[in-house]
Amino acid sequence: MTSATFVAPAAHGGLAGLRPRLPSPVQDVVDERFERRGVRLVLKRDDLIHPELIGNKWRKLAPNLSAAPGRTVLTFGGAYSNHLRATAAAGRLLGLPTVGVVRGQELADRPLNTSLARCVADGMRLHFVDRATYRGKTAPATLAAVLREADAEDAYVVPEGGSNALAVRGCQVLGEELAGRADVVAMACGTGGTLAGLASGLGPGGRALGVPVLKGGFLAAEIRGLQAEAFGGPRGDWSLDDRFHFGGYARTTPELDAFAADFEHRHGVPVERVYVAKLLYALVSLVEENAFPRGSTVAAVVTGRPFP
Ligand SMILES: *Cc1c(COP(=O)(O)O)cnc(C)c1O
């Protein structure tokens, strides 16, 4: 049997055949910093959806992989991308070939870090490109050249971070699961695809708050673009608070590290450091600024889990 004809059992039901825990649980957390201000904090545990396809990565990949039955899936990411790892894991679980286009030609000559090694162990073929090519990858000619060099011209292409119209519509379900259960639903944003869908699903009366983990202030325009692509126009009530990126993607400070360790210790919930730590830090700061009225419920989406 060749790899091209091999179909893993789970592939028959797509990702749904992998028995995700959906809707994901909502957990009440008693935290004195919120209690003092009369605010109820709940955690939306998307980190428990599936042991390997975690959080919003599940919600974004599931509709894309159902759209690409049996095809090689090619996607993009940096050396520590959660999205690359999730795509590689999905490929192994569903028996789909995957190709990861990785930012940084120089990484090709170095030993793989644990994140990329995991991708390879899951069967992903890695293709390294220089940073200029990586930046230009959405231009049709550049993309075509990358696909040709990666020997993957027939692949189904999922954009960096997994955010396309299908993914955004997949994340609308996250909002629907929380509709009427919180006054504010907050999450950490990378590409903004999850927030774009979440805001749409919350419906009237619900408000989504995004905490960008990248520096730059470009995210609102991206989210508007993603909503236009997915829904034909703006949806839902959402805003961003740009104050909590801690210097940029994967940057941290001793204060943030201490905060995350303390939150884990208080509540026994593992805190993913690239995204979730910044979200929780932001919420504690906001509650201390009296940003939420007494009597309100704030839901924090736990979009991921620490990578071992
Ligand atoms: C990818 C990721 C995000 C960001 O999702 P976007 O849709 O790109 O904004 C948030 N949290 C975690 C844990 C992630 O892995």
Side-chain angles (χ1 to χ4, degrees):
M1 201 188 317
T2 68
S3 61
T5 57
F6 172 75
V7 178
H12 298 304
L15 285 178
L18 301 175
R19 299 168 164 274
R21 189 163 172 196
L22 287 171
S24 63
V26 175
Q27 175 189 349
D28 255 284
V29 165
V30 178
D31 189 304
E32 72 205 8
R33 295 166 292 191
F34 290 76
E35 291 222 303
R36 257 203 306 268
R37 313 274 173 167
V39 175
R40 176 170 165 241
L41 174 67
V42 300
L43 301 181
K44 175 66 168 164
R45 297 293 304 272
D46 263 19
D47 57 317
L48 301 177
I49 290 177
H50 186 274
E52 294 184 81
L53 287 168
I54 297 155
N56 62 348
K57 299 301 179 279
W58 173 288
R59 296 188 188 270
K60 297 203 285 190
L61 273 172
N64 273 293
L65 297 184
S66 340
R71 286 174 67 186
T72 295
V73 174
L74 177 141
T75 193
F76 302 86
Y80 293 94
S81 163
N82 288 342
H83 166 66
L84 275 189
R85 278 203 313 281
T87 306
R92 171 171 52 74
L93 293 165
L94 298 179
L96 295 175
T98 56
V99 178
V101 178
V102 183
R103 176 179 56 229
Q105 182 67 60
E106 71 283 2
L107 298 175
D109 308 320
R110 295 189 197 155
L112 296 177
N113 68 35
T114 50
S115 186
L116 292 175
R118 177 68 148 280
C119 292
V120 170
D122 279 341
M124 179 174 264
R125 186 156 62 77
L126 299 181
H127 178 72
F128 295 89
V129 298
D130 63 74
R131 280 151 209 271
T133 305
Y134 192 88
R135 265 196 306 279
K137 65 191 174 304
T138 52
T142 308
L143 177 61
V146 168
L147 293 183
R148 205 162 45 240
E149 279 161 26
D151 199 14
E153 283 169 287
D154 299 329
Y156 179 86
V157 177
V158 176
E160 178 177 35
S163 289
N164 56 13
L166 283 175
V168 170
R169 291 199 289 267
C171 292
Q172 189 172 329
V173 180
L174 167 61
E176 289 162 4
E177 290 175 18
L178 287 165
R181 301 189 67 166
D183 301 290
V184 177
V185 178
M187 66 165 298
C189 300
T191 63
T194 308
L195 185 82
L198 163 69
S200 168
L202 281 178
R207 180 160 82 83
L209 171 64
V211 175
V213 305
L214 284 89
K215 204 158 81 169
F218 53 84
L219 197 60
E222 301 269 317
I223 293 170
R224 282 191 289 274
L226 285 165
Q227 287 199 331
E229 240 185 274
F231 309 119
R235 288 286 185 281
D237 179 2
W238 59 269
S239 60
L240 301 175
D241 192 328
D242 251 318
R243 293 176 295 162
F244 302 102
H245 55 66
F246 286 85
Y249 185 77
R251 298 285 177 84
T252 187
T253 64
E255 188 193 1
L256 181 64
D257 289 337
F259 170 85
D262 173 68
F263 195 94
E264 289 181 328
H265 181 71
R266 284 175 193 244
H267 301 302
V269 175
V271 175
E272 189 268 352
R273 296 301 202 267
V274 176
Y275 292 96
V276 180
K278 293 178 184 179
L279 165 69
L280 295 171
Y281 187 99
L283 288 180
V284 168
S285 306
L286 285 164
V287 81
E288 275 159 14
E289 292 171 7
N290 280 320
F292 309 115
R294 271 189 179 275
S296 56
T297 298
V298 174
V301 185
V302 182
T303 40
R305 226 193 2 244
F307 178 61

